Amino acid sequence: MARLHLFDLDGTLLRGTSAPREISRQLGLEVETVALDREISAGLIGPPEYAQRVHALWADLTEVHVTAAFDGAPWMARIREVWAEIRGEGDYCAVISLSPSFFVERLTGWGAHAAYGSRFPAVPFSEPVDPAGVLSAEAKVRIADRLCEEFGVTRAECVAYGDSLSDKALFGAVPVSVAVNADRHLTGLATHTYMGMDLWEAYELVRSGR
């Protein structure tokens, strides 16, 4: 039976940072975005308000900024090698993130079968962000279920990789999970725990568990 590997982005594939923070760095607005990160982590705002506020910060955002943010981000080592191995085994890999879709979807170019993020308008922005398209922790589970149906697997064949509160619901929905450089919100929930900078090493914790 094939397996479906589900990867979070911020803090998981990206080491110690988030896509919004890397995008804002290109605009000289990292401090403002770090403050927003603190607000959402503390539960003072939810994902829709967060998305609307970073959208407002990014009024001058261009594709050049997005490309520079993506290319210059501190990615975990050997992401593409892990996904090539997963594909070679006949398994599937997908990314589900609350970060903007225009950043997350670039990961299909690295070998992900699918990549889902919060729906943002095309860059440069000419329209507002629709709160209905902003993902939540619970939405990750719903998307995982849709991917299971698409790829012909069940939750029992899923492996989740994550680092924080936004991954808690998904960790509770699948039988195998890997906490990658995780914070206190996933303490005691994951099947495996990994601290480090190499995704291959995290993947090896579940590689033989077919």
Side-chain angles (χ1 to χ4, degrees):
M1 176 67 72
R3 292 195 297 175
L4 171 58
H5 297 258
L6 300 160
F7 294 89
D8 172 56
L9 174 64
D10 301 325
T12 303
L13 298 178
L14 287 172
R15 294 183 284 106
T17 188
S18 65
R21 195 176 300 182
E22 294 305 306
I23 293 165
S24 291
R25 192 194 309 275
Q26 299 300 318
L27 297 166
L29 296 168
E30 185 181 7
V31 171
E32 290 84 347
T33 305
V34 169
L36 284 176
D37 287 347
R38 291 197 189 101
E39 287 190 51
I40 195 167
S41 294
L44 300 176
I45 59 174
E49 183 177 352
Y50 181 94
Q52 289 173 321
R53 289 172 65 178
V54 293
H55 176 273
L57 280 178
W58 298 338
D60 297 324
L61 187 65
T62 68
E63 280 291 340
V64 172
H65 294 125
V66 178
T67 297
F70 188 91
D71 291 345
W75 296 100
M76 291 284 279
R78 296 199 283 181
I79 294 173
R80 280 170 277 200
E81 289 84 350
V82 168
W83 292 350
E85 170 81 4
I86 288 171
R87 282 177 169 269
E89 291 291 326
D91 292 339
Y92 302 96
C93 52
V95 181
I96 310 175
S97 171
L98 275 60
S99 277
S101 52
F102 60 75
F103 190 98
V104 181
E105 290 167 0
R106 288 172 175 248
L107 288 167
T108 58
W110 284 14
H113 287 91
Y116 288 87
S118 294
R119 288 199 306 274
F120 270 63
V123 176
F125 300 141
S126 60
E127 56 188 280
V129 63
D130 181 359
V134 177
L135 301 188
S136 63
E138 293 72 23
K140 285 190 172 188
V141 179
R142 293 194 295 270
I143 291 171
D145 285 340
R146 291 206 304 267
L147 289 169
C148 283
E149 184 175 354
E150 178 180 345
F151 297 134
V153 301
T154 68
R155 286 188 185 182
E157 284 80 52
C158 289
V159 182
Y161 304 74
D163 76 302
S164 65
L165 182 61
S166 71
D167 304 299
K168 189 173 181 178
L170 187 58
F171 272 40
V174 303
V176 180
S177 55
V178 183
V180 179
N181 299 319
D183 64 22
R184 60 182 176 81
H185 293 103
L186 298 185
T187 301
L189 293 179
T191 314
H192 305 278
T193 299
Y194 173 74
M195 298 292 290
M197 300 189 296
D198 190 333
L199 191 66
W200 187 275
E201 294 174 355
Y203 170 61
E204 280 195 319
L205 296 173
V206 298
R207 187 182 180 198
S208 61
R210 302 188 62 81

